[in-house]
């Protein structure tokens, strides 16, 4: 616990604040769509929190292990952002139930800690594997010695997959299907300054939210070994930053599509072209959607982060009637425009931001 002005609260709240402030300061100014997610979350008034609390209680009653719960999420980055969205909803909730929300947030913080080995809110790295797991990956992966043409083709595959994820999840939820794990030190096998990044695309055929999506791709992993390149990320793995020439400094690669390793550059190229076409086709669906349909889709994305968790709880993953009613007649902009972000001191202490309300959970609370 951290003691601050006679108030005690868990250390993770400061870690949360540092990482999100660090990330947003670098992202703004920004514009996200296809709906203003901040505005929509502010109108939920605890309706999603109540759905989630019901499920947390059921999972606890079943005595499901934290490890099993952790494995129900697509990746750690989706849980980090899900916690942020929950904190925003709670901030604007008119009838705050501190005990209820505290139970939810502490439960999922324990889940996140199960998923992450260090730096749980990914201030600059996303370490999800143990050193032993990395050793096994390094020794069992069928590595291809990288050349520039292969590195470029794999780069195109990565770009087309990223485009597909944005077509399916848009600006607020791409982390539910796209994460980057690392950097991991693999110098013992590949020489000095060698790092491994694992670029993971999961839930890329989300039939529950897009039943008409025509795609044969479920899961793609790109294992990339780089030398003389520095990698960092911010809050979510896909918010990645590189120092150095990625193409020229890739020394080894492995590509796994639908659990099968692919070593033919032509097959990688065919996959990249097909995925790019699927992404382009799917991106057109938004042009025909009404405002009401877009709001409902945001609620579906919000719930879909917890799809596996709701299945453990035996709860319908879809938005509740209460959630849908809470936003039905609300005028919500179609873009979230953020022109600037507050100073560190304001962000961590002002009632206008979620950090104040997270700390408030532990004020006169036992």
């Amino acid at each position: 616990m951290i003691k601050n002005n006679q108030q005690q609260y868990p250390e993770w709240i400061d870690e949360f604040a540092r990482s999100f402030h660090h990330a947003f300061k670098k992202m703004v100014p920004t514009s996200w769509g296809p709906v203003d997610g901040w505005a929509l979350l502010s109108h939920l008034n605890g309706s999603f929190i109540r759905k989630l609390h019901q499920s947390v209680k059921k999972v606890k009653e079943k005595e499901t292990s934290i490890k099993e719960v952790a494995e129900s999420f697509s990746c750690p980055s989706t849980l980090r952002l899900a916690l942020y969205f929950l904190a925003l909803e709670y901030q604007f909730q008119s009838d705050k139930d501190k005990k209820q929300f505290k139970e939810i947030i502490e439960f999922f913080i324990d889940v996140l800690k199960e998923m992450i080995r260090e730096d749980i809110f990914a201030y600059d790295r996303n370490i999800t594997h143990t050193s032993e797991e990395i050793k096994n990956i390094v020794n069992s992966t069928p590595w291809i010695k990288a050349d520039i043409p292969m590195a470029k083709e794999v780069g195109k595959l990565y770009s087309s997959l990223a485009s597909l994820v944005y077509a399916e999840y848009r600006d607020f939820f791409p982390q539910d299907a796209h994460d980057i794990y690392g950097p991991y030190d693999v110098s013992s096998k590949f020489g000095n300054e060698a790092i491994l990044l694992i670029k993971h695309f999961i839930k890329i055929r989300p039939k529950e939210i897009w039943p008409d999506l025509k795609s044969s791709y479920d899961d793609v992993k790109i294992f990339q070994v780089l030398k003389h390149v520095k990698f960092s990320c911010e809050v979510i793995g896909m918010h990645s930053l590189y120092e150095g020439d990625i193409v020229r400094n890739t020394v080894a690669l492995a590509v796994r599509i639908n659990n099968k390793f692919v070593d033919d550059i032509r097959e990688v190229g065919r996959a990249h072209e097909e995925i790019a076409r699927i992404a382009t086709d799917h991106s057109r669906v938004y042009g025909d959607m009404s405002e009401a349909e877009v709001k409902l889709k945001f609620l579906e994305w919000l719930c879909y982060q917890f799809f596996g968790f709701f299945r453990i709880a035996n709860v319908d993953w879809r938005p509740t009637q209460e959630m849908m009613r809470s936003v039905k007649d609300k005028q919500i902009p179609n873009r979230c425009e953020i022109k600037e972000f507050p100073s560190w001191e304001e962000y961590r202490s002002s009632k206008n931001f979620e950090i104040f309300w997270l700390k408030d959970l532990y004020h006169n609370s036992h």
Side-chain angles (χ1 to χ4, degrees), residues 136-304:
N136 290 338
I137 288 170
V138 165
N139 291 333
S140 64
T141 298
W143 296 104
I144 303 167
K145 186 176 180 181
D147 55 20
I148 289 177
M150 186 61 165
K152 285 184 175 180
E153 207 61 46
V154 171
K156 291 176 185 176
L157 174 64
Y158 175 85
S159 295
S160 63
L161 284 161
S163 297
L164 175 62
V165 166
Y166 272 103
E168 293 171 337
Y169 294 88
R170 294 300 297 268
D171 295 345
F172 282 92
F173 298 95
Q175 66 281 348
D176 200 14
H178 177 191
D179 209 354
I180 300 179
Y181 316 130
Y184 301 106
D185 180 1
V186 290
S187 54
S188 60
K189 181 174 178 68
F190 294 100
N192 289 341
E193 295 188 47
I195 60 169
L196 168 64
L197 300 177
I198 302 172
K199 301 176 178 181
H200 194 190
F201 293 88
I202 53 280
K203 287 170 80 173
I204 52 175
R205 192 167 59 154
K207 59 183 183 299
E208 295 84 7
I209 53 174
W210 296 114
D212 296 329
L213 180 72
K214 292 178 173 56
S215 173
S216 61
Y217 297 93
D218 290 304
D219 187 293
V220 178
K221 269 188 179 176
I222 297 169
F223 301 83
Q224 187 170 21
V225 177
L226 299 157
K227 271 191 170 184
H228 315 302
V229 171
K230 291 183 179 179
F231 167 89
S232 62
C233 64
E234 298 165 347
V235 171
I236 55 178
M238 59 169 279
H239 277 186
S240 49
L241 303 165
Y242 298 89
E243 291 180 28
D245 188 324
I246 303 172
V247 171
R248 295 184 181 279
N249 290 307
T250 296
V251 297
L253 284 164
V255 177
R256 197 180 74 185
I257 300 175
N258 293 347
N259 295 314
K260 178 186 174 185
F261 281 102
V262 174
D263 59 5
D264 187 335
I265 191 171
R266 292 169 297 181
E267 193 170 343
V268 173
R270 284 193 295 270
H272 127 66
E273 289 174 0
E274 186 177 358
I275 291 166
R277 178 189 56 76
I278 296 167
T280 300
D281 290 346
H282 190 72
S283 64
R284 296 190 180 105
V285 303
Y286 299 96
D288 297 326
M289 291 174 70
S290 67
E291 288 184 19
E293 288 171 328
V294 171
K295 285 194 288 188
L296 176 58
K297 189 59 65 178
F298 186 97
L299 295 180
E300 289 180 350
W301 285 321
L302 186 68
C303 293
Y304 199 56

Side-chain angles (χ1 to χ4, degrees), residues 98-157:
K98 290 172 72 167
K99 182 180 178 182
Q100 179 192 70
F101 190 70
K102 188 177 177 183
E103 182 178 4
I104 294 170
I105 205 80
E106 288 183 344
F107 178 82
F108 286 115
I109 289 295
D110 285 344
V111 174
L112 184 59
K113 287 177 178 177
E114 174 68 27
M115 301 171 83
I116 292 293
R117 307 303 158 215
E118 54 186 85
D119 189 10
I120 66 167
F121 284 102
Y123 183 88
D124 60 7
R125 58 201 184 281
N126 192 27
I127 305 299
T128 67
H129 299 76
T130 65
S131 55
E132 190 62 32
E133 287 169 337
I134 292 301
K135 182 179 177 182
N136 290 338
I137 288 170
V138 165
N139 291 333
S140 64
T141 298
W143 296 104
I144 303 167
K145 186 176 180 181
D147 55 20
I148 289 177
M150 186 61 165
K152 285 184 175 180
E153 207 61 46
V154 171
K156 291 176 185 176
L157 174 64

